[in-house]
Amino acid sequence: MEFRYLGNSGLKISEITYGNWLTHGSQIENDVATTCVHAALDAGITTFDTADVYANTVAEQVLGDALAGQRRESLEIFTKVYFPTGPKGHNDTGLSRKHILESINGSLNRLGTDYVDLYQAHRYDYETPLEETMQAFADVVRSGKALYIGVSEWTADQLRAGHALAKQLGIQLISNQPQYNMLWRVIEPEVVPASEELGVSQIVWSPIAQGVLTGKYLPGQPAPEGSRASDKEAGKFIERYMNDEILTAVQKLKPIAEDHGLNLAQLAVAWVLQNPNVASALVGASRPEQIAGNVAAAGVTLDDAAMHSIDSVLGDLAQQDPSLTKSPETRIS
């Protein structure tokens, strides 16, 4: 496993982060989840990402149980706050001071730890003053309940404003967690340059486009039974990719992957890690054997010819419109 610094900080994280969105507490049984976490540890992964909203807090509990007995100082545990949890009352959502301070206590209890390494704003809250949000995060850090602050799916302007307030308050906002993969590149024109300027890293989710970049979905054929695309709820996240033009192009990436001794999923993960502003790629697993495959992408260098070939294959199919990050994002991820 390779490690990278997270933003302009001294914190190192594994290039592959194990995330439990859509799996723990929902798609797989708890014993399987524990086996997957232990497989991640065995593969050298030290960084684990979750959120209070995943499976309505159950995912945090499952991850905490799976990590019980591990040396805490050897791990980097991340969680998030914003989306509705619990009974979903009027104050059970957003980035108000009340919700943040109550949510961190619940997360720590479920995770079985005194602190998280990174506490993230799961989205931008358009209804709460940013000053209130950042002051609450500063209090979380000063209380020792989080070491660093991050965000998820914030625009370049939002990052600049949040980073400036964090600096004034004497805390470090060091990361953003956006969707990023060969087919979804909307952070490249604005978010990445702003992040480089501020000393903020990306921890990217969906590096294999919810499974589309594995090549398992074939043009003109129904989604395999039991796959994410065949699931009524999970399938909503990849509808935009499920057309014959994209699926055909993905199949054309196979020779590029094979030239580097990789399968398509490994090529996809390696591709996001070529971006120097990316500190880690978030991957999940429903079976422990999937972990080793993902980890094989760490430390891989794709030469310029390979990167150009990927661009040639995908052409205009790769979405790069930064305006897609500028509206309130309600989808959980």
Side-chain angles (χ1 to χ4, degrees), residues 117-130:
D117 297 270
L118 185 71
Y119 198 39
Q120 302 160 97
H122 208 159
R123 290 295 185 271
Y124 187 86
D125 187 347
Y126 290 85
E127 299 181 353
T128 300
L130 184 58

Side-chain angles (χ1 to χ4, degrees), residues 94-328:
L95 297 177
S96 69
R97 179 177 181 81
K98 176 177 174 63
H99 188 53
I100 288 173
L101 296 185
E102 292 173 347
S103 294
I104 186 62
N105 291 332
S107 290
L108 294 180
N109 182 59
R110 289 184 291 270
L111 288 164
T113 182
D114 295 331
Y115 69 96
V116 291
D117 297 270
L118 185 71
Y119 198 39
Q120 302 160 97
H122 208 159
R123 290 295 185 271
Y124 187 86
D125 187 347
Y126 290 85
E127 299 181 353
T128 300
L130 184 58
E131 292 81 2
E132 176 182 343
T133 293
M134 297 311 296
Q135 181 64 66
F137 277 132
D139 289 342
V140 169
V141 172
R142 293 193 186 107
S143 68
K145 295 177 181 179
L147 303 185
Y148 302 92
I149 296 302
V151 300
S152 177
E153 295 289 5
W154 282 28
T155 67
D157 288 343
Q158 291 163 358
L159 281 168
R160 287 192 178 94
H163 188 273
L165 283 171
K167 188 174 182 179
Q168 290 175 23
L169 292 164
I171 62 172
Q172 292 174 272
L173 194 164
I174 59 174
S175 67
N176 180 44
Q177 190 176 125
Q179 181 177 190
Y180 183 54
N181 56 58
M182 292 179 188
L183 295 168
W184 190 259
R185 309 184 188 186
V186 299
I187 64 171
E188 291 182 347
E190 296 178 1
V191 170
V192 168
S195 296
E196 291 174 336
E197 166 195 329
L198 299 171
V200 170
S201 290
Q202 313 302 318
I203 305 165
V204 302
W205 62 274
S206 193
I208 58 175
Q210 300 299 302
V212 171
L213 289 172
T214 67
K216 66 183 176 182
Y217 300 115
L218 301 175
Q221 297 187 26
E225 187 176 348
S227 66
R228 185 162 293 176
S230 67
D231 183 273
K232 184 177 180 181
E233 288 302 315
K236 294 177 182 178
F237 292 94
I238 55 174
E239 287 176 343
R240 63 170 171 263
Y241 300 132
M242 297 300 290
N243 64 71
D244 283 355
E245 187 177 12
I246 287 178
L247 298 183
T248 297
V250 170
Q251 295 301 313
K252 294 179 181 178
L253 295 173
K254 282 184 177 179
I256 304 171
E258 291 168 356
D259 285 346
H260 288 78
L262 305 171
N263 60 33
L264 282 176
Q266 292 163 346
L267 178 71
V269 175
W271 183 88
V272 301
L273 291 172
Q274 305 310 296
N275 188 322
N277 191 232
V278 172
S280 187
L282 265 166
V283 300
S286 56
R287 302 186 308 276
E289 57 268 24
Q290 293 173 323
I291 300 294
N294 289 323
V295 168
V300 170
T301 299
L302 300 178
D303 57 29
D304 289 343
M307 297 296 281
H308 288 313
S309 295
I310 290 168
D311 289 345
S312 296
V313 168
L314 296 179
D316 294 334
L317 298 174
Q319 182 56 256
Q320 295 177 294
D321 183 0
S323 69
L324 295 173
T325 67
K326 292 186 181 298
S327 59

